[in-house]
């Protein structure tokens, strides 16, 4: 390889990349199977159950599936959602023994209590509406929203939460309404509603507490992630303050903020942004400490240790595919991160030995050639491949030649302008001027 002079400062790091004898042998933390119990402990409420059911549907491992279903069964029994209970029973299908079978006594008791509670709420709301007490009506609709949410009727819950808007008398009431609407919208997968209510809540800047701001940024990050706007998603997650802690576990864990934000940043930020907005971001560093493998792979990517970075990604992939929000984006994010690594690797050099590069990326030369061909075709790398000698030649602009050409062009333009001025001066001197004829 022949490094360019102006980009030589990172060349040494890249030369070292892929060295089999390198002393950088770090253990891969998340290579093992997901610990479902520890994972579920990060969440609360409905999202905990839905994440467990998602793992059960996707994991492809019988013992892991049954463990997730067992935990989901136990969690549902703490609540009042009999419809979800019946769905879990169908999935278990008697495989967990008699202790995890139908419980008609529990279901009937919950349904009876629900009917009585609903009747009571209707009577109270009708009384409030008769008396035209705005605050009481707002609370009545809010209670109905909580009731429907607890019983899994998300559409009805959303309607009732939104109805409180007409009876909000303070900015805090509006923010409370927005947070409830955001929670239900995330559960329903309606992320356009999430973005809309985040914007509405942010309009009440004076009433926003730091924790509420952190929650809204998490919600906005999820909405942008779902819309595949990875750069915007990264920015939102990176702006989440340390106040979040474990105060939004009904939606997201702080570990998720690090994972989602880190991967989206790797896929969409350039080198300078990665340094200033991620690595040097003190607030985000606190989140990264919770997920050391994400922290390490970001540092490896920035320092051009791509083999180690891609190894971390490879070991994380199986668990990331079990994430309810990230699973659809894993392949896209991984492709973008790998392409950025390939581009960044080739950028400082005039020529690159494909055998060394393949070793650095732990791939075959043939596979690497195909990846580089796609990037060259897409005009993301300006280079050509010598397939016989297995060398990539960069098409860097010839700065010396370009400077000479620019000087010559400037000289020609100056010569033309001077000649034009002399000609005009001579014409004026000898009165060779076309005068406009006067109108009479």
């Amino acid at each position: 390889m022949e490094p360019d002079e102006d980009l030589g400062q990172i060349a040494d790091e890249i030369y070292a990349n892929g060295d089999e004898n390198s002393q950088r042998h770090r253990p891969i933390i998340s290579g093992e199977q997901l610990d479902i119990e520890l994972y579920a402990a990060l969440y609360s409420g409905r999202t905990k159950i839905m994440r467990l059911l998602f793992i059960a549907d996707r994991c492809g491992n019988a013992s892991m599936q049954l463990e997730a279903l067992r935990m989901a069964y136990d969690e549902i029994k703490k609540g009042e959602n009999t419809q979800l209970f019946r769905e879990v029973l169908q999935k278990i299908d008697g495989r967990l023994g008699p202790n995890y079978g139908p419980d008609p006594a529990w279901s009937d008791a919950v349904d009876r209590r629900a009917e009585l509670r609903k009747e009571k709420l209707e009577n109270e709301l009708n009384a409030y509406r008769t008396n035209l007490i705005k605050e009481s009506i707002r609370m009545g609709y809010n209670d109905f929203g909580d009731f429907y949410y607890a019983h899994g009727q998300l559409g009805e819950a959303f309607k009732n939460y939104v109805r409180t808007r007409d009876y909000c008398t303070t900015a805090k009431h509006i923010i409370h309404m927005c947070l409830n609407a955001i929670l239900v919208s995330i559960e329903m997968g309606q992320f356009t509603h999430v973005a809309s209510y985040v914007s509405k809540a942010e309009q009440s800047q004076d009433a926003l507490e730091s924790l509420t701001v952190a929650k809204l940024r998490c919600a906005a990050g999820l909405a942008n992630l779902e819309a595949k706007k990875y750069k915007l998603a990264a920015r939102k997650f990176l702006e989440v303050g340390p106040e979040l802690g474990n105060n939004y576990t009904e939606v997201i864990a702080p570990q998720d903020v690090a994972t989602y934000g880190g991967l989206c940043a790797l896929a969409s930020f350039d080198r300078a942004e990665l340094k200033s907005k991620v690595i040097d971001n003190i607030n985000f560093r606190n989140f990264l400490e919770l997920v050391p493998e994400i922290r390490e792979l970001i540092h490896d990517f920035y320092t051009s240790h791509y083999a180690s970075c891609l190894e971390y990604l490879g070991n994380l992939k199986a668990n990331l595919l079990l994430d309810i929000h990230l699973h659809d984006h894993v392949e896209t994010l991984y492709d973008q991160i790998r392409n950025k690594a390939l581009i960044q690797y080739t950028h400082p050099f005039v020529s690159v030995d494909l055998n060394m590069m393949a070793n650095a990326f732990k791939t075959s030369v043939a596979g690497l050639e195909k990846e580089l061909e796609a990037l060259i075709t897409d005009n993301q790398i300006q280079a050509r491949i010598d397939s016989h000698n297995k060398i990539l030649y960069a098409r860097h602009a010839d700065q010396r030649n370009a400077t000479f050409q620019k000087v010559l062009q400037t000289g020609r333009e100056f010569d033309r302008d001077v000649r034009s001025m002399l000609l005009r001066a001579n014409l004026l001197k000898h009165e060779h001027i076309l005068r406009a004829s006067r109108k009479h």
Side-chain angles (χ1 to χ4, degrees):
M1 297 182 189
E2 302 170 13
D4 268 340
E5 292 178 4
D6 56 342
L7 291 167
Q9 63 186 51
I10 63 170
D12 292 339
E13 293 174 338
I14 300 179
Y15 274 129
N17 185 29
D19 182 1
E20 294 296 336
N21 298 318
S22 173
Q23 296 300 310
R24 302 177 71 263
H25 293 301
R26 292 204 193 98
I28 301 297
I29 298 167
S30 285
E32 69 278 358
Q33 183 174 294
L34 181 69
D35 187 324
I36 298 177
E37 193 167 345
L38 286 176
Y39 178 76
L42 299 174
Y43 305 98
S44 63
R46 182 183 170 87
T47 193
K48 181 175 183 176
I49 299 167
M50 300 314 294
R51 285 171 183 268
L52 287 168
L53 294 179
F54 186 83
I55 290 170
D57 289 340
R58 297 291 187 109
C59 67
N61 179 312
S63 62
M64 195 175 179
Q65 182 188 46
L66 290 175
E67 175 69 7
L69 290 172
R70 181 187 65 76
M71 292 183 69
Y73 182 100
D74 289 338
E75 196 64 30
I76 290 169
K77 289 291 287 286
K78 296 174 187 176
E80 300 178 321
N81 193 340
T82 53
Q83 176 58 36
L84 198 55
F85 180 71
R86 286 189 285 272
E87 290 176 19
V88 170
L89 282 178
Q90 286 183 347
K91 292 176 186 292
I92 293 173
D93 196 25
R95 291 177 292 168
L96 289 172
N99 292 332
Y100 290 90
D103 190 345
W106 176 82
S107 297
D108 291 344
V110 168
D111 288 339
R112 279 197 303 274
R113 282 201 306 272
E115 286 178 17
L116 293 172
R117 173 75 174 149
K118 185 178 179 181
E119 187 177 342
K120 182 186 175 187
L121 289 174
E122 285 175 345
N123 291 335
E124 287 177 352
L125 182 58
N126 287 333
Y128 297 149
R129 291 169 71 175
T130 302
N131 296 326
L132 297 175
I133 306 169
K134 289 187 79 172
E135 175 60 11
S136 298
I137 295 170
R138 185 185 73 82
M139 292 298 294
Y141 279 124
N142 210 56
D143 290 343
F144 252 120
D146 293 343
F147 170 82
Y148 283 122
Y149 182 75
H151 289 83
Q153 299 178 48
L154 300 181
E156 290 298 319
F158 181 77
K159 286 179 188 175
N160 281 277
Y161 284 140
V162 171
R163 280 174 186 158
T164 65
R165 179 174 53 191
D166 295 333
Y167 304 96
C168 291
T169 53
T170 67
K172 284 192 174 182
H173 290 166
I174 292 171
I175 291 167
H176 186 252
M177 179 273 295
C178 289
L179 286 173
N180 284 333
I182 287 166
L183 173 64
V184 180
S185 298
I186 289 172
E187 292 290 346
M188 291 193 296
Q190 299 289 338
F191 286 94
T192 51
H193 287 163
V194 174
S196 172
Y197 283 98
V198 167
S199 298
K200 190 179 289 293
E202 287 176 341
Q203 290 170 11
S204 306
Q205 284 291 334
D206 296 339
L208 286 175
E209 297 173 355
S210 56
L211 175 58
T212 306
V213 172
K215 288 181 177 182
L216 292 174
R217 284 174 180 163
C218 286
L222 287 175
N224 285 312
L225 176 65
E226 189 64 27
K228 295 184 169 59
K229 297 175 180 176
Y230 300 126
K231 192 161 192 172
L232 290 175
R235 285 175 179 166
K236 290 299 180 183
F237 287 124
L238 292 170
E239 289 170 0
V240 175
E243 304 84 9
L244 182 75
N246 292 313
N247 295 306
Y248 207 27
T249 53
E250 64 271 27
V251 171
I252 195 170
Q255 286 84 346
D256 294 332
V257 174
T259 303
Y260 301 168
L263 292 178
C264 288
L266 273 183
S268 58
F269 283 4
D270 60 30
R271 189 178 174 83
E273 285 179 309
L274 202 62
K275 173 70 171 162
S276 63
K277 295 181 180 176
V278 182
I279 295 171
D280 292 341
N281 184 333
I282 294 172
N283 284 339
F284 194 66
R285 196 180 301 162
N286 295 327
F287 290 105
L288 286 176
E289 292 300 324
L290 301 172
V291 195
E293 53 272 23
I294 296 292
R295 180 194 66 208
E296 293 301 329
L297 73 87
I298 289 172
H299 280 86
D300 283 342
F301 187 92
Y302 181 74
T303 55
S304 304
H305 292 105
Y306 302 118
S308 176
C309 172
L310 295 172
E311 190 176 0
Y312 274 116
L313 286 170
N315 281 274
L316 283 168
K317 189 172 184 178
N319 290 345
L320 294 178
L321 287 169
L322 297 177
D323 186 282
I324 198 166
H325 293 302
L326 201 62
H327 69 282
D328 276 341
H329 309 280
V330 171
E331 295 295 345
T332 305
L333 289 171
Y334 270 43
D335 286 346
Q336 289 185 15
I337 292 168
R338 185 174 178 85
N339 288 345
K340 277 189 69 182
L342 290 168
I343 294 165
Q344 194 167 294
Y345 186 100
T346 60
H347 184 63
F349 301 109
V350 173
S351 64
V352 179
D353 185 329
L354 294 186
N355 291 297
M356 285 185 68
M357 189 174 177
N359 178 48
F361 282 88
K362 297 289 188 287
T363 187
S364 65
V365 174
L368 179 63
E369 274 194 67
K370 286 184 179 178
E371 289 185 88
L372 291 172
E373 284 168 12
L375 290 170
I376 291 168
T377 303
D378 201 31
N379 205 33
Q380 293 190 59
I381 293 179
Q382 283 72 47
R384 53 192 173 83
I385 299 172
D386 182 344
S387 293
H388 179 70
N389 295 312
K390 302 302 178 189
I391 295 174
L392 179 83
Y393 290 103
R395 288 178 177 163
H396 289 306
D398 186 339
Q399 296 293 340
R400 190 164 177 267
N401 183 53
T403 303
F404 277 127
Q405 292 298 329
K406 189 173 181 181
V407 169
L408 288 171
Q409 179 64 23
T410 304
R412 284 193 289 268
E413 289 174 359
F414 179 75
D415 180 66
R416 185 193 64 207
D417 291 344
V418 169
R419 287 177 182 276
S420 297
M421 285 190 289
L422 289 171
L423 177 61
R424 180 171 175 77
N426 280 321
L427 288 172
L428 289 170
K429 180 180 178 181
H430 297 286
E431 296 184 349
H432 291 295
I433 302 167
L434 181 62
R435 298 184 187 276
S437 56
R438 292 181 181 179
K439 292 183 180 179
H440 296 285

